[in-house]
Amino acid sequence: MRANPGLDVEQWRRRQGAIAENEEVSLRGLPARVVAELLYGLQQRTQAGAKTRYWIFRPLCDRLREAEVARLDDFDSRNLPAGPQRLFAVLRRESALLHSNPDLERRKDVWDLNVFGLSGTLKFAVISQRWLREAVKRWAADDLPTRRGNRIAGVVQTRINALGRLSQSLRLQRDDGGDYPSALSRDDITSFCNRMAFLMNRGEITENQRLVTLRMVRNLLLAMRGMGLARSGQPLTGLPDDFHLQAGDMPDAPEKSEAGKDLPTEVMRHICDHLPGVTKLFGHDIRVAFELFIDTGRRADEVCQLQLECLDRDGEGKPVLIYNNSKGNRQRRRLPIPAATAATIVAQQERVRARFPNVPPEKLKLLPSPVMNPNGHKAITAEWVTSRHRDWIDHLPDITVQTHVEEHGKAVTKMLPFEKGRIHPHAYRHTYAQRHADAGVDVTVLKELMDHEMLSTTQGYYRVGETRRREAIDRVTTMQFDRHGSRVWRNVQALLDDEHARRAVGEVAVPYGGCSEPSNVAASGQDCPIRFRCIGCGHFSTDISYLPDLERYLADLLRHRERLTATINADEWARNEAIPSDDEITRIRRLIDRMKADFADLTSDEKAQINDAVTLVRRARRGVIGLGLPRVRQPLPDVRPERAA
């Protein structure tokens, strides 16, 4: 009092905190409503498994006491330290949920989706026109119950933001700011489309963002009209019929490229070699999540939400993964998995049971969250795991892959760093599909493995295989030989698109290589002038992928010669013509030896690449897929067998 004669003692008493004692926090002096809100929020946090530290809660109570607020909503928390500020946000949210309901929440410009039984927030302030904002709120309230998954807020907010672009266009380009719906016309839609093109040309949005925004605005305007919001007394009352986007307003969609969505073999080997380091960085749970991404090709949220008892056996005793397809809303899907993947799951199950020994297994998650999860009922989130995956990939050593680039008008092959941004959990799903497609799995079977409803969806996942097969063909072609065993392509180079096309139409497949003889090509391989003695023809060429076929052919020739030599019931001229010539056998032996010798001169990495390429090309050849290699056509049926050969 002596130091401050003007001190209001009563106010000082109301604001002054209690003397700190041990780990106690005093609520004395706080209004009854604030005390009730704080206690309710603490109760909700405790039931959710969270711990509230007294050294964070005590200063929050002191600041609330100093501010003399009547309720938590009246307090400005921006000047609080980080810890008390986060705690206050949680307590205020819980208090708001207690006092709110969906009808009250719909009147606000910021919705807390927890009121609707969801998570996240929706912000409508990006729409400045009241009539449009109210219409969008009505649409959002109608749309939310139809959504599923854990990213509802982001999906709906994206659509609100698209209408925010329309709102911005009206605000900037109309004198009345677009506040009167009856004054709008088709001209305003045209102005909006032009503005989107302007923003794209300035680099503020991408071509794809422009297209997606226009599509969303078109669909939302149609949806709101379909809800009857343009009727009398509704938010869109008076909105002209021509205020909508037509099909002609949509720009052409950019051509989608599947290249790069799956990960090359070299990249996958690099990733798998460094998996042991994940345990040291983030623990066993995250490593198991990464391994399941790679092994099963499931989406991130499908892996994260796996139940502890997610492993089953089929009729043959082989392991099967039980998961929920959250995107397709299909429950308890069954996916055959390798024994090694099953062993990873079993080891994780044992760790989780040891961590939560008193919780029934059917209530546990395979990948339990380490935060606010005392009973193991809550799983780690896909967002959190994806963030850890990004951190891990960014800190891995650089990955180099063989890449085709153009220099001085020529295509050359170089070892260049692989872009790490292309490595993310969903890329493993594309890689899973590509791996099975390369192995010759039928697309209808792959559709079931991917759990797609439509075959076209599955086909989109491995369309990138065409590029991979083309790369394999490029590698195989570097070891192409003529009939003398001389290398045709001496320098490593990538075939240009027109060269692939030229080979596809300028050659026809023969059993052990390709034929470029014009009359035979024109006849689809049915008109060989020298009666298919390819090994002696200058139009014949082959490559390393035909080596197994050539070896089998040589063995057949030797076997055939021995059998004919022993034949006695035949004229000499017939036997001599039927017996394979020594020249043919010698030529094939020399060709095989040259292929093996050149292959032996390669480095171990080059051998591995060639082996992978040969495997891919031979599978493509069995599937009758050209892609730069001539197609193997089935011979036409001979409708006149009486004709001479």
Side-chain angles (χ1 to χ4, degrees), residues 207-505:
E207 183 180 7
N208 186 64
Q209 286 175 319
R210 174 194 175 197
L211 175 63
V212 170
T213 299
L214 291 175
R215 284 178 175 174
M216 287 182 177
V217 170
R218 181 190 184 198
N219 293 337
L220 287 174
L221 290 177
L222 289 173
M224 290 188 292
R225 288 183 185 274
M227 292 172 60
L229 299 185
R231 296 174 184 170
S232 177
Q234 299 297 321
L236 301 184
T237 299
L239 188 67
D241 292 339
D242 60 356
F243 188 81
H244 72 277
L245 282 94
Q246 304 171 356
D249 296 324
M250 301 294 109
D252 293 334
E255 183 178 354
K256 291 184 179 180
S257 173
E258 294 292 323
K261 287 191 176 181
D262 74 319
L263 303 175
T265 303
E266 302 95 319
V267 175
M268 290 304 301
R269 287 173 180 163
H270 184 87
I271 291 172
C272 293
D273 287 344
H274 287 83
L275 276 173
V278 177
T279 306
K280 298 179 180 178
L281 288 173
F282 306 119
H284 287 287
D285 292 0
I286 298 299
R287 175 173 175 175
V288 170
F290 291 178
E291 290 193 39
L292 292 179
F293 291 159
I294 295 171
D295 292 350
T296 69
R298 299 309 91 182
R299 302 178 183 92
D301 57 330
E302 294 170 354
V303 170
C304 292
Q305 294 297 325
L306 286 173
Q307 297 294 324
L308 181 69
E309 298 181 329
C310 62
L311 197 60
D312 197 5
R313 300 281 170 174
D314 61 16
E316 299 178 357
K318 296 182 179 180
V320 176
L321 179 71
I322 308 298
Y323 71 99
N324 294 329
N325 182 339
S326 55
K327 183 177 181 180
N329 198 25
R330 295 188 289 276
Q331 308 301 309
R332 296 193 63 79
R333 313 305 291 172
R334 297 175 66 87
L335 176 73
I337 58 175
T341 306
T344 299
I345 294 175
V346 170
Q348 176 66 9
Q349 289 173 329
E350 293 174 353
R351 284 191 290 267
V352 174
R353 288 194 185 99
R355 179 176 165 188
F356 304 99
N358 300 321
V359 180
E362 63 272 12
K363 294 184 178 181
L364 291 172
K365 297 291 186 180
L366 182 68
L367 302 171
S369 171
V371 180
M372 298 176 62
N373 190 29
N375 300 319
H377 296 176
K378 186 171 69 172
I380 56 177
T381 64
E383 292 79 7
W384 192 74
V385 174
T386 300
S387 176
R388 302 288 81 74
H389 182 271
R390 178 80 276 140
D391 293 341
W392 175 58
I393 292 295
D394 287 343
H395 287 86
L396 286 183
D398 288 339
I399 312 168
T400 57
V401 296
Q402 192 177 53
T403 308
H404 301 317
V405 297
E406 187 172 336
E407 289 186 355
H408 310 295
K410 294 183 179 180
V412 297
T413 302
K414 288 187 173 182
M415 297 300 293
L416 297 177
F418 187 81
E419 183 183 349
K420 291 183 178 179
R422 291 163 56 184
I423 307 174
H424 49 82
H426 201 67
Y428 298 135
R429 183 165 171 80
H430 283 270
T431 307
Y432 175 88
Q434 185 62 57
R435 186 165 68 242
H436 285 76
D438 289 345
V441 174
D442 185 81
V443 65
T444 57
V445 177
L446 184 54
K447 168 180 169 291
E448 297 301 322
L449 292 176
M450 298 294 288
D451 199 28
H452 290 147
E453 287 189 333
M454 300 183 65
L455 196 64
S456 58
T457 305
T458 305
Q459 291 171 330
Y461 269 78
Y462 67 89
R463 200 173 305 151
V464 68
E466 297 177 3
T467 302
R468 293 187 62 186
R469 291 189 190 99
R470 176 164 294 189
E471 292 174 352
I473 291 167
D474 292 341
R475 289 176 178 169
V476 168
T477 307
T478 64
M479 297 198 70
Q480 191 177 34
F481 301 82
D482 61 15
R483 68 187 190 279
H484 300 292
S486 301
R487 290 279 288 273
V488 177
W489 296 76
R490 294 186 177 277
N491 299 320
V492 177
Q493 58 179 326
L495 295 178
L496 301 176
D497 287 343
D498 57 349
E499 181 65 13
H500 278 276
R502 182 196 67 75
R503 293 189 67 216
V505 300

